Amino acid sequence: MTSPETLLATLTPLLAAESRAEAAAAGIDPADLEQAVWLRLLERLRADDAPERPADWLRRAVRAEARRARRTSGRERPYREETPHGPEPDHGSPEGSALTAERRRTLRAAVTRTPGRCPRLLNAMLDPADPTYREIAGTLGISQGSLGPMRSRCLGCLRRMLAAEVPASGRRGRVRGTDR
């Protein structure tokens, strides 16, 4: 079996090239794609399931991650500033203040349930003092360059969690009409 260090050294240039080639069509950053594939490889190595032909496996893994990213981006929708029941109440009103406070509580609760280092990162990003990337990276003890990909993964996780908790607007499924 090849050591992880040897695999890393031999596969890094191939992974970078494959990720650059696939990322644009998937609509994601090549570095995010690379990181996802490295994670899949490390999970396999941890399970003592190293691929026999790592280069071929890597190419397939990049394409699979790119397909997953395309499917995910097809389901994600930007948040609209309206509730499903009409326009947002005035934030100066008691109703608007109550809705804003409830949204903040929901967001903070979801942030605490995110995995790994995501709660610390997301809380730092939600800080009212609006710290810079450099300040956040220093606080968390990570490099500034890894902050962007980590932020992207954490926000994606948070988005999926909130999407599962907040019902989608509009009707879903088949609607039967009376003029059949």
Side-chain angles (χ1 to χ4, degrees), residues 8 20 26 32 42 47 63 71-72 78 84 87 97 102 122 127 129 132 153 157 160 166 179:
L8 179 68
R20 280 191 307 272
D32 288 343
L42 289 173
R63 286 176 183 86
R71 282 192 312 270
T72 301
S97 298
E102 180 60 28
L122 293 170
D127 187 341
T132 64
R153 284 190 312 278
C157 181
R160 288 186 297 276
V166 178
D179 51 74

Side-chain angles (χ1 to χ4, degrees), residues 13 41 117 121 165 169:
L41 179 60
R117 295 190 289 185
L121 171 66
E165 293 176 13
S169 62

Side-chain angles (χ1 to χ4, degrees), residues 50-114:
E52 288 182 29
R53 297 171 47 187
D56 292 339
W57 177 89
L58 183 125
R59 287 183 185 99
R60 287 191 310 275
V62 168
R63 286 176 183 86
E65 283 297 321
R67 280 192 306 273
R68 184 194 57 74
R70 278 192 297 275
R71 282 192 312 270
T72 301
S73 68
R75 290 187 304 246
E76 293 176 348
R77 299 286 179 249
Y79 178 74
R80 291 189 315 248
E81 288 298 323
E82 290 186 357
T83 63
H85 307 293
E88 192 73 31
D90 181 26
H91 290 287
S93 71
E95 295 87 7
S97 298
L99 284 173
T100 300
E102 180 60 28
R103 282 193 183 113
R104 284 188 181 131
R105 278 192 296 276
T106 302
L107 177 63
R108 293 289 181 173
V111 164
T112 61
R113 292 191 317 270
T114 54

Side-chain angles (χ1 to χ4, degrees), residues 138-152:
T139 301
L140 298 178
I142 60 175
S143 73
Q144 191 174 345
S146 64
L147 191 57
M150 179 190 262
R151 176 188 140 267
S152 179

